[in-house]
Amino acid sequence: AEKVLRFPGEVGVTMWEMGKEDPRRVIHSIKVGLALTLASLLCLLESLSQGIGQNAIWAVMTVVVVLEFTAGATLCKGLNRGVGTLLAGLFALFVEYLTADRPMPRAVVMGWTVFVIGAAATYMRFIPIIKKNYDYGVMIFILTFSLILVSNYRIDNTTKMARDRFYTIAIGCGICLFLSLLVFPTWSGDDLHKSTIAKLEGLAQSVEACVGEYFGDDQMKEIQDELSKDSIDQNCIKVLDSKYTDETMALYASWEPRYRGNCYKSPWQQYVKFGVALRRFGYTIMALHGCLHTEIKTPPSVRALFKDQCTNLAGEVSNVLVELANSMRNRRHFSLEILSAHLHIALQDLNTSLQSQPQILSDSMNRKDSRISHTTSFDANSSPLLESKTARPPEQVHGIQKVLRPQRSKLVIASLEFSEALPISAFASLLVEAVARLDHVIEEAEELGRIAQFKEYKAGEDVV
Amino acid sequence: AEKVLRFPGEVGVTMWEMGKEDPRRVIHSIKVGLALTLASLLCLLESLSQGIGQNAIWAVMTVVVVLEFTAGATLCKGLNRGVGTLLAGLFALFVEYLTADRPMPRAVVMGWTVFVIGAAATYMRFIPIIKKNYDYGVMIFILTFSLILVSNYRIDNTTKMARDRFYTIAIGCGICLFLSLLVFPTWSGDDLHKSTIAKLEGLAQSVEACVGEYFGDDQMKEIQDELSKDSIDQNCIKVLDSKYTDETMALYASWEPRYRGNCYKSPWQQYVKFGVALRRFGYTIMALHGCLHTEIKTPPSVRALFKDQCTNLAGEVSNVLVELANSMRNRRHFSLEILSAHLHIALQDLNTSLQSQPQILSDSMNRKDSRISHTTSFDANSSPLLESKTARPPEQVHGIQKVLRPQRSKLVIASLEFSEALPISAFASLLVEAVARLDHVIEEAEELGRIAQFKEYKAGEDVV
């Protein structure tokens, strides 16, 4: 009984938090309610004066279907709907005109026309460019065309009906556009801009946390490990999975009429390109994360040799990302010199320390070399568990099923005692690779700043 | 003029190829045409007998909106539409009943009800679980509810109208379900299954091509390089970007009534999980691809030492993926022993060769070590171009703009002359990492086979 009582409370809390998280949701809901009421009342007025009649319901329908969360989406749907209806009306008139004097029964003509046009238009919806931009418009075209033909069969006054329907849909679209463009508008472009900044900051955190964890104290961190590694991954995965939302937002943003000054070209496609560069950068960071969970353990003493340089380089990479995020937030260019200088010094430091410690790498290899005789008794079909008790990861022990599957590659990798130098050099190499990818990110950010005509960079004028 | 003449031809060719690529598109288009015609004719018959009247257009509308490409999507939309309409009708009756005896003007009551219900329902659409599964149903609810209230204002016969509309929508849904479930059905589940197989095969190709290119002859491959590297990447990127389509297909598949035998649990969510494991594997492969384009060049002589082992290991990884794809295609389990045996032998070979060649790694490092005095004059703000003529990548020379930006990290990395052993050990380490990730893929594939109740494995019964 308590659970039943608590349920509405929980739903209420969820609803409240959803609104607090993004108050525009509340505004959007109120706007939809308002638009519906306006359209309904308009219908009532019109139907009382017998002006538009039964077609009045189309205004309500238009409002429900067209009014979307962002201005761009509303415009896109509204224009698609308007143009689709108009074309369908004209086409229906044309078909009427063609078939007016034929001796065939009208039902046959109608049936065939609907069949052919419906099939052809549906087929056209598979063309990628139409699917992307005009899918909704083609659907409305099919819908309106069939409805007009069917209704005509009885009404025999095509022009009036098409005109009335067009008026009501225009009224509906008008209400939607007014509310979505002029009353507390929500712009897709802004969302895209903000999500790009959030991605940059998420990646910056991710890089630092990853390197921090790699060089952190093994014993102490063991406990927090499970907790933090998921959150590190999440930031990164959010970036990697952002393709679809990015492209949708950019598509809607490209419908939004917001050309400031002489911005001759819409920057939204550049945001998508920037997103691609970020994802490519993110793949390297994901691989870096992979090093955290690798089965080949590098002893802390070897790690400690490169700790400062790697942490330093990661810090610089993260700084570059944060600086890019700040420049975007303030819609200004950034200074390539300042960005690169520290980064390149850090790169050089890492290189110097890698080159000054070759004996560590070769030592650890030679040590392995002497041990190899102990592990050559390994056979792929025997159980590596028995041979590598020390290296056995703890999670493999739980559950009998796990023990009964000794062929897991993880165990084999752990038992093979790969060179200890392998993971640390992979880690360093991936960090260097990440810096190279960062180049591409910076290039696209510069291009974005150019196209979107950001302000010139002046030191110390940021309001963060 | 020639261009104008050629344009319809080109469109025709595109259309034809689109149909050849996936003939189900043609079938779907014909189905839509057929459904439209049926619905239209039904409307005519009904309106001639004055049975349903103006509401008949709802059957046409339902067909246009509900009939989707796959059976799952149609069912999902059809049920959403049916339930949404039903609930809206009941709710409208309830509101009528509540407000029947009040002394307020009816327009005011209607305006407020529409506003409150519209806003509340729109707000509910932001709840993630509703957005994912029932977004369309809630939209139809708002639509139908407003329309019934508005129409009622004039008609004064709520029950008959609600009943008529429900009948016509039921007729429309019936036509759609009949055509989509019984006539040449297209199943989302099959698409998901096939796309998963294609992803496995794409990754297998990608791994082999990547390693092949890494160890290939530099001079000879330079030309094909640009061509092939894009196609290698494409396979991988297709997998990495598949999240949204996977989830959509799984969502629709979960609506499809295809429980074979005693399959107690739908396997579609497991396909999504398998996709996540594949993407995680894919990140490592992308990082491996990154090694192809790294600025630190490993001399072919060093590469050649590990060529056979790495190629061998990559071949085995690719074999595992192909075997997984085959087992899925034949809907059977796979033999873990056979899969793992070769893989683990290849792993061991690579390990042995890495451990037997430590002097190469340390030699190359010592060689670098003696050269370091030449490069310590490096300064982050000076132009590394001048200091590293040999390492300068050819593409940086083109265009004056490129030369004017000497701070590119790529150039700095090239000029720093990182240890030559760094990239090869990173490459090997990433390969080993990929094998570890493959574990997770295999686990999820086993789970998938268990849930979807694939056949037992018997050697040599595949029909590939």
Side-chain angles (χ1 to χ4, degrees):
Chain A
E2 206 188 325
K3 212 172 176 183
V4 175
L5 278 178
R6 231 189 309 158
F7 181 69
E10 272 172 19
V11 170
V13 169
T14 314
M15 296 286 233
W16 175 255
E17 274 170 5
M18 224 167 59
K20 226 165 98 182
E21 196 191 322
D22 193 348
R24 297 176 306 172
R25 290 174 177 160
V26 180
I27 294 176
H28 174 67
S29 304
I30 293 174
K31 277 204 269 189
V32 171
L34 208 65
L36 270 179
T37 314
L38 275 178
S40 306
L41 292 180
L42 226 73
C43 282
L44 287 189
L45 288 180
E46 292 289 337
S47 70
L48 285 181
S49 65
Q50 297 299 327
I52 297 178
Q54 186 67 30
N55 283 315
I57 55 168
W58 289 93
V60 176
M61 196 176 292
T62 305
V63 166
V64 173
V65 177
V66 166
L67 195 54
E68 292 270 336
F69 186 56
T70 62
T74 308
L75 257 176
C76 173
K77 279 205 151 181
L79 288 180
N80 262 309
R81 191 175 181 103
V83 173
T85 308
L86 195 61
L87 283 182
L90 292 177
F91 209 75
L93 284 180
F94 180 65
V95 169
E96 287 284 305
Y97 172 75
L98 277 188
T99 58
D101 309 326
R102 299 296 158 95
M104 285 178 283
R106 227 174 143 186
V108 174
V109 174
M110 199 202 72
W112 274 108
T113 320
V114 168
F115 177 77
V116 170
I117 299 294
T122 306
Y123 193 66
M124 270 177 58
R125 286 173 75 183
F126 288 111
I127 300 173
I129 193 166
I130 288 182
K131 194 179 183 62
K132 195 177 159 199
N133 290 294
Y134 310 109
D135 193 52
Y136 186 68
V138 177
M139 198 180 89
I140 290 298
F141 173 83
I142 303 175
L143 179 63
T144 311
F145 180 75
S146 322
L147 286 184
I148 291 181
L149 276 198
V150 171
S151 309
N152 275 1
Y153 196 78
R154 287 171 293 143
I155 294 178
D156 274 323
N157 188 353
T158 319
T159 14
K160 185 180 179 315
M161 189 193 170
R163 208 188 52 208
D164 280 0
R165 185 157 300 169
F166 189 73
Y167 279 156
T168 44
I169 288 183
I171 291 173
C173 284
I175 295 175
C176 289
L177 293 185
F178 171 74
L179 281 175
S180 97
L181 291 177
L182 300 177
V183 182
F184 296 109
T186 305
W187 304 104
S188 258
D190 285 351
D191 280 359
L192 184 57
H193 186 79
K194 273 179 205 148
S195 88
T196 305
I197 294 171
K199 282 198 283 185
L200 279 169
E201 287 173 339
L203 278 177
Q205 275 178 27
S206 195
V207 172
E208 281 212 273
C210 178
V211 173
E213 199 180 304
Y214 190 75
F215 291 106
D217 196 352
D218 261 342
Q219 280 70 42
M220 223 181 64
K221 287 251 180 153
E222 200 84 18
I223 314 143
Q224 329 170 8
D225 221 34
E226 289 302 309
L227 288 172
S228 65
K229 94 177 170 192
D230 281 342
S231 68
I232 297 176
D233 278 10
Q234 280 319 309
N235 271 330
C236 213
I237 286 179
K238 219 179 273 171
V239 173
L240 297 179
D241 288 342
S242 63
K243 180 176 183 273
Y244 176 75
T245 42
D246 270 20
E247 284 179 358
T248 312
M249 281 195 280
L251 178 68
Y252 288 145
S254 66
W255 285 87
E256 290 171 356
R258 300 175 76 208
Y259 301 94
R260 287 203 202 78
N262 55 351
C263 176
Y264 55 97
K265 202 172 145 192
S266 142
W268 312 119
Q269 280 314 306
Q270 185 59 32
Y271 275 98
V272 173
K273 273 194 194 167
F274 186 65
V276 171
L278 272 186
R279 277 202 296 283
R280 295 214 146 227
F281 178 74
Y283 296 142
T284 314
I285 304 302
M286 273 309 280
L288 214 53
H289 285 175
C291 293
L292 296 182
H293 316 306
T294 183
E295 301 303 319
I296 320 168
K297 300 291 176 197
T298 311
S301 61
V302 177
R303 291 191 191 186
L305 286 170
F306 307 108
K307 180 179 175 177
D308 289 346
Q309 287 77 18
C310 281
T311 313
N312 195 9
L313 184 57
E316 291 304 333
V317 168
S318 161
N319 280 349
V320 169
L321 290 172
V322 168
E323 167 62 16
L324 284 180
N326 285 338
S327 83
M328 249 181 219
R329 184 179 292 114
N330 293 286
R331 295 183 191 278
R332 59 161 175 78
H333 289 283
F334 48 85
S335 158
L336 196 58
E337 284 73 25
I338 296 177
L339 277 193
S340 309
H342 290 104
L343 191 62
H344 295 169
I345 292 173
L347 256 185
Q348 200 193 8
D349 280 354
L350 177 63
N351 186 36
T352 312
S353 84
L354 281 173
Q355 285 172 335
S356 63
Q357 304 283 355
Q359 74 281 5
I360 292 295
L361 297 180
S362 52
D363 271 8
S364 72
M365 282 186 180
N366 288 329
R367 194 150 42 80
K368 291 282 137 198
D369 216 18
S370 65
R371 267 201 237 157
I372 200 166
S373 52
H374 300 295
T375 53
T376 41
S377 64
F378 168 78
D379 175 7
N381 286 317
S382 77
S383 166
L385 258 184
L386 301 175
E387 293 162 26
S388 62
K389 277 177 188 142
T390 52
R392 176 167 48 177
E395 72 271 20
Q396 300 286 343
V397 187
H398 305 302
I400 296 166
Q401 203 192 15
K402 292 277 181 187
V403 176
L404 285 175
R405 287 180 184 169
Q407 293 90 352
R408 290 272 168 257
S409 307
K410 273 184 192 170
L411 294 184
V412 178
I413 293 170
S415 73
L416 274 176
E417 299 186 333
F418 271 95
S419 157
E420 286 161 354
L422 207 56
I424 186 81
S425 47
F427 193 84
S429 175
L430 281 173
L431 254 183
V432 173
E433 191 59 38
V435 175
R437 295 282 175 94
L438 195 57
D439 256 13
H440 192 219
V441 172
I442 294 176
E443 258 168 46
E444 294 289 352
E446 270 184 320
E447 182 71 14
L448 180 62
R450 208 178 51 72
I451 292 179
Q453 302 198 309
F454 285 172
K455 285 179 294 189
E456 280 306 307
Y457 172 71
K458 276 175 207 153
E461 74 172 2
D462 276 8
V463 189
V464 183
Chain B
E2 204 187 324
K3 211 172 176 183
V4 175
L5 278 178
R6 230 188 310 158
F7 180 69
E10 273 172 18
V11 170
V13 168
T14 313
M15 296 286 232
W16 175 256
E17 275 170 5
M18 224 165 60
K20 225 166 96 182
E21 194 192 323
D22 193 347
R24 297 176 307 171
R25 288 174 179 161
V26 181
I27 294 176
H28 174 68
S29 304
I30 293 174
K31 277 203 270 188
V32 171
L34 209 65
L36 270 178
T37 315
L38 276 178
S40 306
L41 291 179
L42 226 74
C43 281
L44 288 189
L45 288 179
E46 291 290 336
S47 70
L48 286 180
S49 66
Q50 297 299 328
I52 296 179
Q54 185 68 31
N55 283 314
I57 54 168
W58 289 92
V60 177
M61 196 177 292
T62 305
V63 166
V64 174
V65 176
V66 166
L67 196 56
E68 291 271 335
F69 187 55
T70 63
T74 308
L75 257 176
C76 173
K77 279 204 153 181
L79 289 181
N80 261 308
R81 192 175 180 103
V83 173
T85 309
L86 195 62
L87 282 183
L90 293 178
F91 208 76
L93 284 180
F94 180 65
V95 168
E96 287 285 306
Y97 171 77
L98 276 188
T99 57
D101 309 326
R102 300 295 158 99
M104 285 178 282
R106 227 172 143 187
V108 174
V109 174
M110 199 203 72
W112 274 108
T113 321
V114 167
F115 175 76
V116 171
I117 299 294
T122 305
Y123 192 66
M124 270 177 56
R125 286 173 76 182
F126 287 112
I127 300 174
I129 194 166
I130 289 183
K131 194 178 183 65
K132 194 178 160 199
N133 290 294
Y134 310 109
D135 193 51
Y136 186 68
V138 175
M139 199 179 88
I140 291 297
F141 173 83
I142 303 176
L143 179 63
T144 312
F145 180 76
S146 322
L147 287 185
I148 291 181
L149 276 199
V150 171
S151 309
N152 273 0
Y153 197 77
R154 286 172 293 141
I155 294 176
D156 275 322
N157 189 353
T158 319
T159 15
K160 185 179 180 318
M161 189 192 171
R163 209 187 50 211
D164 282 0
R165 184 157 302 168
F166 189 74
Y167 279 154
T168 44
I169 288 183
I171 292 173
C173 283
I175 295 175
C176 290
L177 293 185
F178 171 75
L179 281 174
S180 97
L181 291 177
L182 301 176
V183 183
F184 297 109
T186 304
W187 303 104
S188 259
D190 284 351
D191 280 0
L192 184 56
H193 187 79
K194 272 177 206 150
S195 89
T196 305
I197 294 170
K199 281 197 284 183
L200 279 168
E201 287 173 338
L203 278 177
Q205 275 178 27
S206 194
V207 172
E208 281 212 274
C210 177
V211 174
E213 200 181 304
Y214 190 74
F215 292 106
D217 196 351
D218 262 342
Q219 279 72 42
M220 223 181 64
K221 288 253 178 152
E222 200 86 18
I223 313 144
Q224 329 169 8
D225 221 35
E226 289 302 309
L227 288 172
S228 64
K229 93 178 171 193
D230 281 342
S231 67
I232 297 176
D233 277 9
Q234 280 318 309
N235 271 330
C236 213
I237 285 178
K238 223 179 271 171
V239 173
L240 297 180
D241 288 342
S242 63
K243 182 178 184 270
Y244 176 74
T245 43
D246 271 18
E247 284 179 357
T248 312
M249 282 194 281
L251 178 68
Y252 289 144
S254 67
W255 285 88
E256 289 171 357
R258 301 176 75 208
Y259 300 93
R260 288 202 200 80
N262 54 350
C263 176
Y264 55 98
K265 203 172 143 194
S266 143
W268 312 120
Q269 280 315 306
Q270 185 60 31
Y271 276 98
V272 173
K273 272 194 195 168
F274 185 66
V276 172
L278 272 187
R279 277 203 296 284
R280 292 212 150 229
F281 178 74
Y283 296 142
T284 314
I285 305 301
M286 273 309 279
L288 214 53
H289 285 175
C291 293
L292 296 181
H293 315 307
T294 182
E295 301 303 319
I296 318 168
K297 300 290 176 198
T298 310
S301 61
V302 178
R303 291 190 192 187
L305 285 170
F306 307 109
K307 179 178 174 177
D308 290 345
Q309 287 77 17
C310 281
T311 314
N312 196 9
L313 184 57
E316 291 304 333
V317 168
S318 160
N319 281 348
V320 169
L321 290 171
V322 168
E323 166 62 14
L324 284 180
N326 285 339
S327 83
M328 247 180 222
R329 184 179 292 115
N330 294 285
R331 294 184 191 278
R332 60 161 175 77
H333 290 282
F334 48 85
S335 157
L336 196 58
E337 284 74 24
I338 298 178
L339 277 194
S340 309
H342 290 104
L343 190 63
H344 295 171
I345 292 172
L347 256 185
Q348 201 193 8
D349 281 354
L350 177 62
N351 186 35
T352 313
S353 85
L354 280 174
Q355 285 171 335
S356 63
Q357 302 284 356
Q359 73 282 4
I360 293 295
L361 298 182
S362 53
D363 270 8
S364 73
M365 282 185 181
N366 288 328
R367 194 151 43 82
K368 290 283 139 196
D369 216 19
S370 65
R371 268 202 235 157
I372 201 168
S373 54
H374 300 295
T375 53
T376 42
S377 64
F378 168 77
D379 173 6
N381 287 316
S382 77
S383 166
L385 261 184
L386 301 174
E387 292 162 27
S388 61
K389 275 177 190 143
T390 51
R392 175 168 49 178
E395 73 269 20
Q396 300 287 345
V397 186
H398 304 303
I400 296 167
Q401 202 192 15
K402 292 275 182 190
V403 175
L404 286 176
R405 287 179 185 172
Q407 293 90 351
R408 289 274 169 254
S409 307
K410 273 183 191 171
L411 294 184
V412 177
I413 293 170
S415 72
L416 274 177
E417 298 187 331
F418 270 94
S419 157
E420 284 162 355
L422 208 56
I424 185 82
S425 47
F427 193 83
S429 176
L430 280 173
L431 254 183
V432 173
E433 191 59 38
V435 174
R437 295 282 176 94
L438 194 57
D439 256 13
H440 192 220
V441 172
I442 294 176
E443 258 168 48
E444 294 288 353
E446 271 185 319
E447 181 72 14
L448 178 62
R450 206 177 53 69
I451 291 180
Q453 301 197 313
F454 285 171
K455 286 178 294 189
E456 279 307 307
Y457 173 71
K458 278 175 208 151
E461 74 172 2
D462 276 7
V463 188
V464 183

